[in-house]
Amino acid sequence: MPFKTLLTVTGADQGDDDLKLAAGLCEEINAHLSALVLVIAAPPAGGAYAEVVSPAWLAEREVEMEMLQKRTSAVSKMLSAIPVSTDLSSDYPEQSWADDVIGRRARYADLTIVGPEVLASQMLKEKIVAGALFSSGRPVLLVPKGARATLKPKHVLVAWDASLEAARAVRESLDILSRADEVRVVMVDPIEDERHHGDEPGADVATYLSRHGAKVTVERLPSSNHSIGEVLRQHAVDTSAELMVMGAYGHSRLRERIFGGVTRSMIENPGLPIIMAR
């Protein structure tokens, strides 16, 4: 299914680069741009000194709301000058439910764009990625600094581990994959059994993609004492991939936070544009 609505989220401290990136992607595929301006509310004061600092906290919230209004006005002006259809909303959620607010908004878009400015903002990045992946059922596109973003790539790498999440990412990206000149289905240390990759790892997903017109090559790579994330990033460089498609959070977020994981590694250091879904 082609992407017809792209969502971008911006905060009070961000500039317009991520907005321009999302607008460019919309123009490339003739899509609608939905923009959300978000300021996450400062947490309330607590402890024995709550009564003393409470007025300062209330004053801080007033400043934040003014920042939200000012940023929303600036974004509205910027959007009025771009050559694609747009809509604009704003919100001022508490930190604990900011990802839910983002997720509800992302349900009405096909793809949420996370550009370099947001990737540099730890809290906003985590809230947007978590909200889009866990509260919307929609994929995200991570675009790191210096990367060329396109939704019409010629060379695509699919990180395949036969999981439900990877299958969802492939399904969400079918329009892109079917139009690419080259799709490399890459597996790192694949397990050959019926509960994992089957007797011939990659054969089933390659057949599925081929029926949709994708030009598929299957590659099985050894990790050789490197992390899966490192292997995928290096192979993307070696094969001149313009986009990676992968499933996200095959393990719980808590497990990934404590022990690390491929998803967390890729969010922290994408290396190239990555579409993630779960």
Side-chain angles (χ1 to χ4, degrees), residues 8-12 35-39 68 71-72 75 88-91:
T8 184
V9 184
T10 186
L36 171 62
V37 181
L38 196 76
V39 171
L68 176 63
R71 178 63 175 149
T72 302
V75 171
L88 175 63
S89 59
S90 63
D91 213 313

Side-chain angles (χ1 to χ4, degrees), residues 220-274:
R220 308 175 186 99
L221 305 178
S223 59
S224 302
N225 296 319
H226 295 283
S227 72
I228 292 176
E230 289 174 332
V231 174
L232 292 172
R233 277 190 292 266
Q234 185 58 52
H235 198 63
V237 172
D238 294 342
T239 59
S240 301
E242 300 163 87
L243 177 72
M244 185 184 299
V245 173
M246 64 176 286
Y249 291 111
H251 302 296
S252 70
R253 279 185 288 178
L254 178 59
R255 178 174 174 178
E256 292 236 357
R257 185 173 295 117
I258 295 173
F259 298 106
V262 180
T263 306
R264 187 169 180 82
S265 170
M266 290 302 193
I267 291 173
E268 294 302 322
N269 180 21
L272 76 161
I274 301 176

